[in-house]
Amino acid sequence: MPEQAPVVLITGAARRIGACIARRLHQHNFRIVIHYQHSADAANTLCQELNERRADSACAIRANLSDIDAVKQLATASIARWHRLDALVNNASSFYPTPLPTANEAQWHDLMGSNLRGPFFLCQATASELTQRHGAIVNIADIYARQPLDAHSIYCIAKAGNIMLTRAMAQELAPQVRVNGIAPGVILWPEKTTQKTPGKNTDKTQQSLVEKIPLNRMGNPEDIALLAEFLITNASYITGQTIAVDGGKQLV
């Protein structure tokens, strides 16, 4: 691995969209810092996969993004691994319903922590290194940041803040660092029922949602990864933008 190969930190990179972004940027000759919190097995498996393709090109670091000290340690460890950091992708996200009658403070702190507070303080902790490298930040928002999803008020509020985070950081870190966002639409279905997420993800509900999309189909994690790659490597005159990847969902 060349000493000058760029390095990207991707939060929530062990699985799903985050892992797809990691693989895509790895193909673009980035070295990858795979952040995870709970998905240790998946993170280590992905790390091994990438290192088998190209030696010493990936590492995995655990951190709780709701813990500001842990966020700062994540930034420090990520930079120290290869003595540089060229890009940051704030992808990690908690997502589950919080109906107003039952929403509580713990849910507020959890959803704000992963979707807004953690990304803000990770931007802060990496800003000096990214400025030095003339780097880029990509924040993964959501189309529901602009049009609220029923019974998900806290999540939507946090993602709306994430879009403003992109705009504010773009202004504050210019001209050295470009900061953009991606707002996915229907890309992957939420995972099956957990203790936090009552199960309403039925086949009938899914089909109904897809039928309302002008392109009449779901997207793919690769759609998000391709845009993330473009925003990091090619979009030299784009900053402060959050681009919807939703098949036209916001048109209806």
Side-chain angles (χ1 to χ4, degrees), residues 60-73:
I61 302 176
R62 182 186 181 279
N64 178 359
L65 297 183
S66 292
D67 181 337
I68 302 307
D69 288 337
V71 168
K72 294 177 181 178
Q73 291 167 13

Side-chain angles (χ1 to χ4, degrees), residues 105-122:
E105 189 174 1
Q107 293 170 332
W108 176 275
H109 286 302
D110 178 48
L111 289 163
M112 287 292 174
S114 64
N115 290 295
L116 184 56
R117 187 171 66 247
F120 173 85
F121 284 103
L122 198 49

Side-chain angles (χ1 to χ4, degrees), residues 185-207:
V186 181
I187 303 296
L188 290 171
W189 299 117
E191 295 188 294
K192 297 299 182 181
T193 303
T194 68
Q195 291 181 349
K196 284 184 177 180
T197 59
K200 294 184 179 179
N201 190 26
T202 66
D203 291 342
K204 185 176 180 180
T205 300
Q206 292 175 0
Q207 184 59 33

